[in-house]
Amino acid sequence: MTRRSVLTLGAALGLAGVAIPKAAWSWSPAGSVLGTGSGVDPQWVWDDDLDRIMASVISSGQTAAVNDAILPWVNNWQPVPTGLPPELAGFLQGSTQLPSWADRTKLRRAADFNRRKDTYLFMIYGIGGGIMSTVIPREARSVYHSKGGADMQDRAAKTFSFGYDLSDINAFERTGEFMVTSNKTRMVHSAVRHLLPQSPHWQQSGHDEQIPISNHDILVTFHSTGTFAHKKLKEWRVPMSTADQDAFLHSWQVALHFLGVRDEYIPATWDAAHAQAAQILTPKLAWTPEGQELAETLLGLTAQVDLGVTRGFLNEFVRYQLGNEIGDWLGLPRDYVSAATIRVGWPSYIAFREGLLPIMPANFYLFDQLLRGIAMAFLNRGASGTTTPITIPDMNRPTS
């Protein structure tokens, strides 16, 4: 990728200070929630204890038994399930506890913020972050060649379940689900780290990793969702107080901790988050054949739900969020009528919802239908917005 391309992407995604990728990790742990750290590049950091445990679970043929045990485990108030291997149960006893630096007042404010801004966040996570993931080469290749890549509707439903549970009003309360959902997701990541290196197709895909889903990779995914959301909300002039923004970040900080990211890598402020994103997200975006196929599949799933939203409109909303360069990479045909409608209509839609515009804009229901289509396509295979079961894989993509 040329320097010009990096700068263009930086502008399109609203990430300040983007420059040519640096040779080595240089983000300072002084900017983390911990305030100190080793400075070791997170692309060489995984989840060693859980990775070893999950490798043992898979190698000893216990995957089905573990999936049976965790199936009814949904709410935060529920104890770690019985029937798990003792070492896994012991690990989960600790990993389901809030970190000492978590602030419940901020988490409750974040839950209220998510409730008030859920429409915009859903659009950003679903169309923006979801499609951006397909031009993050490591993520696209890992998803495509893992078991989930063979059934993207199921995989997308599980990804949406993570975001849905994080955004829920009770996310970190006893009646919420996120603390369980995040730990199940963490277990899946460990399983994929064990399985994917055994895939000859993944090995030959041109990736630059020996083991996938490092702390670095999880941080990149955070920046393609949480940090990207923060930038887009500001760009769209969605009203947010400083306290709301701080609380929103805090919910993501705790989420990263629950996913096994070391505290020394978790940004303490939005300024620190955007600085980290400029180093590890934007310069890494690129086209891959795996990502191209995944993007087409994801956009096709939404297009299947015919609620009056055309595929051209969906393509243009991707371009509206991510820029024309990524749209061109993915070969998204232009629909200039839809582009004009979005450019004028989306700001009016936001203004009306925020009480800043007294008259409902003409295209209000078109955007509402798009949101509904995304929800029906991804949340639990369109059956409902309830919990989508997250299961531990025991194999890679069948062709891998």
Side-chain angles (χ1 to χ4, degrees):
M1 184 183 295
T2 65
R3 185 177 188 273
R4 179 183 178 86
S5 296
V6 171
L7 292 172
T8 302
L9 281 173
L13 300 180
L15 298 173
V18 178
I20 296 174
K22 297 180 180 178
W25 167 259
S26 61
W27 190 82
S28 172
S32 71
V33 295
L34 198 60
T36 186
S38 65
V40 172
D41 190 329
Q43 70 177 327
W44 303 109
V45 176
W46 292 273
D47 202 351
D48 296 345
D49 290 339
L50 184 59
D51 290 353
R52 176 180 49 77
I53 293 169
M54 294 308 299
S56 176
V57 165
I58 295 169
S59 299
S60 60
Q62 299 180 80
T63 307
V66 168
N67 281 330
D68 287 343
I70 66 174
L71 181 62
W73 186 40
V74 174
N75 297 104
N76 297 337
W77 62 264
Q78 293 176 281
V80 172
T82 59
L84 294 175
E87 195 172 16
L88 177 58
F91 180 90
L92 293 173
Q93 292 286 357
S95 67
T96 50
Q97 304 301 311
L98 283 170
S100 60
W101 46 263
D103 184 328
R104 283 199 173 273
T105 300
K106 282 188 176 182
L107 292 176
R108 290 183 180 120
R109 187 177 189 116
D112 182 64
F113 174 78
N114 285 326
R115 176 189 60 80
R116 288 183 280 117
K117 310 301 181 184
D118 60 354
T119 297
Y120 321 126
L121 292 172
F122 201 65
M123 203 72 105
I124 293 167
Y125 293 155
I127 296 179
I131 300 303
M132 196 194 305
S133 71
T134 69
V135 292
I136 299 172
R138 286 181 176 180
E139 184 167 351
R141 288 171 174 135
S142 292
V143 169
Y144 184 87
H145 293 291
S146 64
K147 186 178 181 180
D151 187 347
M152 278 306 293
Q153 187 161 14
D154 180 67
R155 203 270 180 184
K158 290 170 180 175
T159 301
F160 265 62
S161 184
F162 180 93
Y164 187 87
D165 291 346
L166 175 59
S167 299
D168 186 72
I169 191 70
N170 296 312
F172 295 96
E173 304 294 333
R174 280 176 52 81
T175 53
E177 300 180 8
F178 181 73
M179 292 157 78
V180 172
T181 296
S182 58
N183 270 276
K184 288 184 178 181
T185 302
R186 186 175 178 179
M187 292 163 67
V188 170
H189 287 170
S190 284
V192 171
R193 289 188 198 103
H194 174 68
L195 292 166
L196 206 51
Q198 302 174 38
S199 163
H201 297 278
W202 181 74
Q203 292 173 3
Q204 297 163 14
S205 66
H207 65 85
D208 58 351
E209 296 182 294
Q210 292 183 340
I211 304 172
I213 320 180
S214 64
N215 269 204
H216 174 282
D217 297 334
I218 297 173
L219 288 166
V220 168
T221 300
F222 155 61
H223 293 308
S224 72
T225 49
T227 307
F228 179 65
H230 180 249
K231 266 293 182 185
K232 283 298 170 185
L233 290 172
K234 295 188 75 173
E235 179 183 307
W236 293 342
R237 299 181 181 178
V238 175
M240 299 183 292
S241 68
T242 299
D244 281 343
Q245 294 178 60
D246 289 346
F248 179 54
L249 174 61
H250 192 60
S251 67
W252 273 105
Q253 290 168 335
V254 177
L256 288 169
H257 176 89
F258 273 124
L259 288 176
V261 174
R262 292 184 185 176
D263 292 350
E264 68 175 276
Y265 301 128
I266 301 175
T269 66
W270 278 122
D271 285 345
H274 290 297
Q276 192 182 84
Q279 181 183 133
I280 68 173
L281 171 63
T282 314
K284 304 294 178 67
L285 299 178
W287 178 90
T288 62
E290 293 93 345
Q292 174 82 59
E293 186 172 332
L294 293 177
E296 184 59 33
T297 300
L298 289 172
L299 291 170
L301 290 175
T302 305
Q304 289 174 14
V305 183
D306 186 5
L307 295 173
V309 177
T310 67
R311 174 61 190 270
F313 188 88
L314 184 59
N315 289 345
E316 289 298 336
F317 213 99
V318 172
R319 287 178 177 272
Y320 182 70
Q321 290 199 50
L322 300 182
N324 286 326
E325 187 167 14
I326 288 178
D328 291 344
W329 286 354
L330 297 176
L332 303 181
R334 296 307 309 261
D335 182 334
Y336 293 102
V337 173
S338 291
T341 299
I342 293 166
R343 191 168 56 250
V344 174
W346 183 243
S348 298
Y349 176 85
I350 291 174
F352 180 75
R353 287 188 63 94
E354 294 295 326
L356 304 175
L357 188 68
I359 301 173
M360 182 184 294
N363 295 308
F364 182 88
Y365 287 110
L366 183 61
F367 293 107
D368 264 7
Q369 292 296 75
L370 177 58
L371 281 161
R372 229 182 121 209
I374 296 170
M376 292 179 68
F378 294 140
L379 287 180
N380 206 19
R381 293 182 169 272
S384 72
T386 58
T387 300
T388 301
I390 295 176
T391 54
I392 311 304
D394 56 0
M395 60 183 292
N396 293 311
R397 187 184 181 101
T399 56
S400 294

